[in-house]
Amino acid sequence: MTDLSASSFVRQDLVAERAAPTKTTGFIGFLRTRLLNSPGNILLTILGLLLAWYIVVPTVRFLLFDAVWTGKDRTACLAEKAGHEVGACWPYIQAKLAQLIYGFYPEAQRWRVNLTYALGAALLLPLLMPRLPAKGLNSGLFFFAFPVVAFFLLHGGGIAGFGVSWTAGLLQLFEQSIGGAGDLLVNLSKSSAIAPLLWVVGKVLVLVGVLIHWLIFPLTWLRDQLQASSLPVWGDFLVTAVIVSAVLFVLGGGVRTGRGALLGSLLTFAGIAVGIRLMGLDRGGFPIVDTRLWGGLLVTLVIAITGIVASMPIGIALALGRRSTIPLIRIFSIAFIEFWRGVPLITVLFFATYMLPLFVPGNFAVDGLLRALIGVAIFTGAYMAEVIRGGLAAVARGQAEAASALGLSWWKTTSLIVLPQALRYVIPGIVNSFISLFKDTSLVSIVALFDLLGSLRASFSDPVWTTPTTAFTGFAFAGMIYFVFCFGMSRYSLFVENRLNAHRRH
Amino acid sequence: MSIAPRKPPLQFALRLKRALGGKTGWNGFAAQIAFAAILAWIAYEIVANARTNLETQHIASGFGFLNYNAGFDVNQSLIAYNNSDTYWRVFFVGLLNTILVSVIGIVFATVIGFIVALCRLSPNGVLSRIGGIYVEIVRNLPVLFQILFWYLAVLAALPAPRQSISIFSTFFLNNRGLIVPLPVSEPGLYPFLAALAAGIVVALGLRHHARRILFQRGHMIRIWPYVLGCLVGLPLASMLIFGWPFKLELPQLKGFNFAGGARIIPEFVALTVALSTYTGAFIAEIVRAGVMSVHKGQMEAGSSLGLSRAATLRLIVVPQAMRVIVPPLTSQYLNLTKNSSLAVAIGYPDLVSVFAGTAVSQTGQAIEIIAMTMGVYLLLSLTTSALMSIYGWRINRSMAA
């Protein structure tokens, strides 16, 4: 046995203590590793700090220290009066605040706008918090009930009928259009080379028109009876509720399983009735405020929310159409999406403003705001379709196959299995297109609507507030509003993305 | 009793079913017929309504108006134009102005984007924060807001011509725009251009030759002195023989305005600055994502092969990053071109502003003019997306190989 201590491989004395390693965490560590680790980096740091100094200091001075806070008109914001170099002219914003938020909405009616804002916030906030329950009910309220309520709140006016009258009216229009087309073809056939064909098609169309006329006769008769009664809206409402609930009850499976559908339908109609009663829609509703009086942030939010609400169904339909194997539907979806994605939004707005009125019957006067809304909805819908298509492609194929194996129809597979997963995958993408939609709403100021940016621009021309810093103040204020909305949305999108990828984090 | 095998279904019928109705078969075919009927009905309604409405407004449809005299002036035009020219010429003036502002905007946006991306990627903490703040602020404000900000706030706050901000006494910035020196051609211009072109051709040929030698024999040959000689020496020689190719006409303040030099209208300046800073922020994010998408191991593998840091970046990281960068970069270029249509808000005479704006209000031919304008942008984006799919296909092929 050898003596271990005699072995040259084992050292006898302790190693001298080494100095602690250089700190690489915390503020000091950050300074060492990221700012001052080499001469070149020190130079860059100094340059960067100088750059920041020359941007931050003038901005803060402009917004806070040199700013004028009180005053009645432009003289308060002139350097001669204030006695120092003048920064932001905040009294100008105070004077124009109402115009920037409400436009020319009548002052006595502004509570309606505030109520709409409050309702929207109350419905939207729970929808954005993933922890809260009842997402289905919540999104139903936000996407279907809220737009209708908001319309009657903001625009005012009442309704003369309900489901029966509307359906009858629409079907009657359709019948007239078909009949008109038939008559036109028959007339054309007198002077055409393919006369017999045109004549046959025309006659068939006329026949279809007559058939539709007889088919919808019970409905029109019912409508006329209801309109002649003493309470047309409530009578119509009652009949519609009964018919729709009965149909849903039967479709839902009758006595065996249809009770849930019946209950849901009755509850929905009860909700609608409460809404009609509260807003007094059967008695003319609120006084009508013409959309030309709307302006400022109100128009920006109306366009953004309508765009969001309308673009989702358009986008889902187009995305499903583009993935469909039915040739005509696929080709149409591709052409539609690529067309609207290929042109700038401003030409779409021009299209909606100048061309759309030519495409509807002359007796329909399409409101200016509505035209812009249609343009924005189509445009955003096309972009949304591409986002949702990405989500549909990300759903594993086995999901749809498993659903078919269970015997679900295409509609059930899509609406219960594929779409919920696809939409969840693309929430960040959807939020991103909402951000660009929100920014794009500013373009409506070019087609003579006064959104936030348009109202701001209009307020510059007020001679009462013409000072050298008016424009900068206005842009600073509007910029903050836009930034808060867009930045908030982008942070939310990041939050959702992190939540979705929680299982991939390490 | 034997069981006769069932006959296979007719392939022809199956194929027909598949072609007509996709996977859903005859149901799909019926759906298509219904869909086509609805489309036909909508199209009929649109045409019928448009015809009645145009008749009541006494507007003759058709493209005949393009040969009429426009009768309005345009404040910037790359081709000769006066107010007795036709609407055709207005169309081309607007188109050229759109192309001009897009090309210049794209150049500046790319430069800004790469600089900001470098800042964001830099190990220096201050620079990367500044880059991040720039991107967040610029991306979260509407582009129209930024155009109006530059035009109505910044450029309008500039002094009058007499108090112009002078940059090296060659560029002058005032509220009427940017005055720059104007190059005026001299007799030596054509030989100079010819020498430059020849130099470029020879340099490209040399590079090609050097690469072939490298791949065939593994020799690196030194060509940069010759390349430099061709690119600089040839034009220099031409200048010595034939004289200056052009001289710069410097702007000078005379009375209340500038004489000499060229004036770039403030609308153009505002639009270019706003579009390039806005798109630059998006490009910065694309470039950053592209560089970060290259795995760290690639860099390490490059160093372990003994390549220098610059060579690793040039030969290994950048080519892989470019594959990720190019498709979204192109779509940003396209976005910039489409956003240039916002010129209409500040009166820069681009296609939308002079053609879809002024010409529509003068002639009332909304359908034709807006269709033409949309057609131009549509053609542009379809061409770009076609080129991009070819690019994607080539990348996929080279990755598979």
Side-chain angles (χ1 to χ4, degrees), chain B residues 133-202:
Chain B
I133 291 172
Y134 169 81
V135 169
E136 283 299 343
I137 289 182
V138 170
R139 281 206 314 177
N140 283 316
L141 292 176
V143 61
L144 182 63
F145 173 91
Q146 299 186 31
I147 292 174
L148 289 182
F149 172 73
W150 288 104
Y151 186 64
L152 293 179
V154 178
L155 290 187
L158 288 175
R162 285 182 68 84
Q163 287 87 35
S164 292
I165 301 168
S166 136
I167 307 161
F168 307 124
S169 298
T170 36
F171 298 92
F172 294 93
L173 199 58
N174 57 44
N175 58 10
R176 293 208 201 152
L178 178 67
I179 322 278
V180 296
L182 182 71
V184 180
S185 72
E186 297 264 306
L189 179 66
Y190 291 106
F192 175 80
L193 288 181
L196 196 66
I200 292 174
V201 169
V202 173

Side-chain angles (χ1 to χ4, degrees), chain A residues 126-298:
Chain A
L127 198 61
L128 296 181
M129 292 179 200
R131 275 172 210 286
L132 295 183
K135 283 279 173 285
L137 176 69
N138 198 339
S139 53
L141 282 177
F142 183 74
F143 283 103
F144 296 102
F146 176 62
V148 180
V149 172
F151 170 78
F152 284 113
L153 263 180
L154 292 175
H155 183 264
I159 47 177
F162 201 70
V164 174
S165 309
W166 297 338
T167 323
L170 276 180
L171 287 176
Q172 228 166 12
L173 271 183
F174 180 65
E175 173 223 320
Q176 281 160 8
S177 163
I178 292 281
D183 286 339
L184 190 83
L185 282 183
V186 172
N187 279 339
L188 268 182
S189 72
K190 284 168 192 153
S191 57
S192 169
I194 47 167
L197 183 68
L198 283 184
W199 188 85
V200 168
V201 175
K203 280 291 173 194
V204 167
L205 281 182
V206 171
L207 190 70
V208 170
V210 173
L211 264 181
I212 294 176
H213 179 79
W214 287 111
L215 270 179
I216 64 172
F217 179 73
L219 208 60
T220 44
W221 176 82
L222 190 60
R223 177 197 48 188
D224 295 341
Q225 294 302 314
L226 284 171
Q227 289 295 333
S229 68
S230 59
L231 276 174
V233 174
W234 290 110
D236 198 338
F237 177 80
L238 216 62
V239 175
T240 313
V242 168
I243 294 178
V244 172
S245 303
V247 166
L248 281 179
F249 182 61
V250 172
L251 282 185
V255 189
R256 204 159 46 84
T257 54
R259 261 166 290 171
L262 181 68
L263 198 67
S265 159
L266 287 180
L267 278 177
T268 312
F269 276 105
I272 295 175
V274 171
I276 293 180
R277 190 77 192 83
L278 277 182
M279 293 194 285
L281 296 185
D282 52 331
R283 287 166 284 123
F286 297 115
I288 290 181
V289 180
D290 195 284
T291 54
R292 272 171 296 182
L293 296 177
W294 301 17
L297 190 62
L298 171 65

Side-chain angles (χ1 to χ4, degrees), chain A residues 34 41 45 48 174 177 181 325-328 339 341-342 346 350 358-361 439 442 457 475 479 486 491, chain B residues 19 22-23 32 41 44-45 49-50 53 123-125 128 130 136 139-141 144-145 278 338 341 345 352 378 381:
Chain A
R34 300 282 309 271
N41 225 350
T45 306
F174 180 65
S177 163
T325 52
I326 303 174
L328 191 65
F339 179 78
R341 273 164 49 95
I346 188 64
F350 276 167
L358 294 176
F359 290 163
V360 296
K439 290 192 289 177
S442 57
R457 205 177 170 175
F475 277 114
C486 296
R491 288 293 118 163
Chain B
K23 268 185 199 158
Q32 266 183 93
W41 178 63
Y44 157 76
E45 274 291 310
N49 287 329
N53 287 330
N124 187 296
S128 67
I130 291 180
E136 283 299 343
R139 281 206 314 177
N140 283 316
L141 292 176
L144 182 63
F145 173 91
Y278 181 75
K338 288 198 262 173
S341 59
V352 173
L378 196 61
S381 50

Side-chain angles (χ1 to χ4, degrees), chain B residues 100-137:
Chain B
L100 178 75
V101 76
S102 310
V103 169
I104 293 184
I106 283 173
V107 171
F108 281 120
T110 314
V111 172
I112 293 175
F114 275 83
I115 291 176
V116 175
L118 282 183
C119 284
R120 289 210 69 182
L121 289 165
S122 116
N124 187 296
V126 174
L127 277 190
S128 67
R129 295 247 153 131
I130 291 180
I133 291 172
Y134 169 81
V135 169
E136 283 299 343
I137 289 182

Side-chain angles (χ1 to χ4, degrees), chain A residues 68 73-79 81 86 88-92 465 467-469:
Chain A
V68 175
D73 58 4
R74 64 187 290 269
T75 47
C77 298
L78 293 177
K81 180 79 185 295
V86 169
C89 180
W90 294 119
Y92 150 73
W465 289 102
T467 70
T469 56

Side-chain angles (χ1 to χ4, degrees), chain A residues 327-402:
Chain A
L328 191 65
I329 291 181
R330 194 181 64 237
I331 292 169
F332 173 81
S333 304
I334 293 178
F336 194 88
I337 294 173
E338 293 302 328
F339 179 78
W340 295 111
R341 273 164 49 95
V343 294
L345 178 56
I346 188 64
T347 58
V348 177
L349 288 175
F350 276 167
F351 162 83
T353 316
Y354 296 121
M355 276 163 84
L356 212 57
L358 294 176
F359 290 163
V360 296
N363 47 356
F364 275 97
V366 188
D367 182 271
L369 182 63
L370 184 64
R371 291 181 210 168
L373 285 178
I374 294 173
V376 168
I378 296 177
F379 184 80
T380 319
Y383 276 86
M384 195 63 79
E386 285 299 275
V387 174
I388 293 172
R389 191 165 70 106
L392 290 175
V395 177
R397 191 176 236 220
Q399 298 284 328
E401 286 169 354

